[in-house]
Amino acid sequence: MITVLRPLPRCSIRLLLQVLVVGILSSVGVLLEVTPSLSPTSSSLTLFSFTVGKVALAQAVSDQEVQSYARSVLAIEPIRQAAYNKIKQMSGSSDVPVVACHRPSSLSELPDTIRDIAVDYCNQAIAIVERNNLTITRFNQITVAHQANPDLSNRIQQVINQLQSNGQ
């Protein structure tokens, strides 16, 4: 027996396509912590809008990661302050150059003596983060997330306060 497939009506194809696209974007969005949503717009060209959900970001960072992040920040901060003060003293200026460990160009543009201090700081910071069971990428993701999310920021601050009161 041969089955004849009838074409779907045009409006059904468009609806099916929208559902499929939203499903795919939702899956990708969950992985990237960006959520697509179908937005009613007057323009037929704009079908979707993208938002970063604060709740999704907060849930994406586990309690263990918050602990690891807080421990890392507490261990890195004195090293960061010492490097900052040393660079400030060596440069003879109150304008300390920006050092971003994840941006090699910020390091390569520094004078040799200051670059050595910055590289040493970055190496120590990386080792601390990894000792606390986070990757540098994940540490940076949490940093960005907590800057955009007051709930996550509060969770991190609570753990930092707890660790400090326990003398850690």
Side-chain angles (χ1 to χ4, degrees):
M1 176 176 221
I2 298 176
T3 305
V4 177
L5 297 176
R6 289 182 282 163
L8 292 172
R10 193 159 188 70
C11 65
S12 295
I13 292 173
R14 183 173 179 183
L15 180 62
L16 180 62
L17 181 60
Q18 285 179 345
V19 169
L20 181 62
V21 168
V22 168
I24 291 169
L25 290 175
S26 295
S27 299
V28 170
V30 167
L31 295 174
L32 299 176
E33 299 174 352
V34 175
T35 55
S37 61
L38 191 58
S39 63
T41 61
S42 58
S43 168
S44 61
L45 297 176
T46 308
L47 295 177
F48 303 100
S49 65
F50 295 90
T51 57
V52 177
K54 291 181 181 178
V55 173
L57 285 174
Q59 290 174 345
V61 180
S62 71
D63 290 341
Q64 182 59 45
E65 287 176 316
V66 169
Q67 286 280 334
S68 295
Y69 183 86
R71 287 182 194 282
S72 296
V73 168
L74 284 173
I76 290 170
E77 184 56 19
I79 298 165
R80 187 199 64 79
Q81 286 178 353
Y84 175 87
N85 291 334
K86 203 173 201 180
I87 290 171
K88 184 177 175 180
Q89 180 184 8
M90 292 181 82
S91 68
S93 169
S94 61
D95 292 334
V96 175
V98 174
V99 174
C101 296
H102 66 284
R103 276 194 4 248
S105 64
S106 77
L107 298 172
S108 64
E109 296 167 357
L110 297 172
D112 290 344
T113 53
I114 293 175
R115 184 180 320 120
D116 292 343
I117 296 166
V119 168
D120 184 51
Y121 160 74
C122 290
N123 288 336
Q124 289 182 60
I126 290 167
I128 289 168
V129 168
E130 290 174 346
R131 234 184 357 257
N132 283 294
N133 301 315
L134 289 174
T135 64
I136 298 308
T137 301
R138 187 60 179 151
F139 180 87
N140 289 337
Q141 288 170 342
I142 294 170
T143 299
V144 169
H146 102 80
Q147 291 169 346
N149 184 327
D151 294 333
L152 178 58
S153 185
N154 288 337
R155 286 174 58 203
I156 292 168
Q157 190 58 54
Q158 287 175 349
V159 172
I160 287 173
N161 292 343
Q162 181 185 16
L163 290 170
Q164 286 176 326
S165 68
N166 292 340
Q168 294 180 0

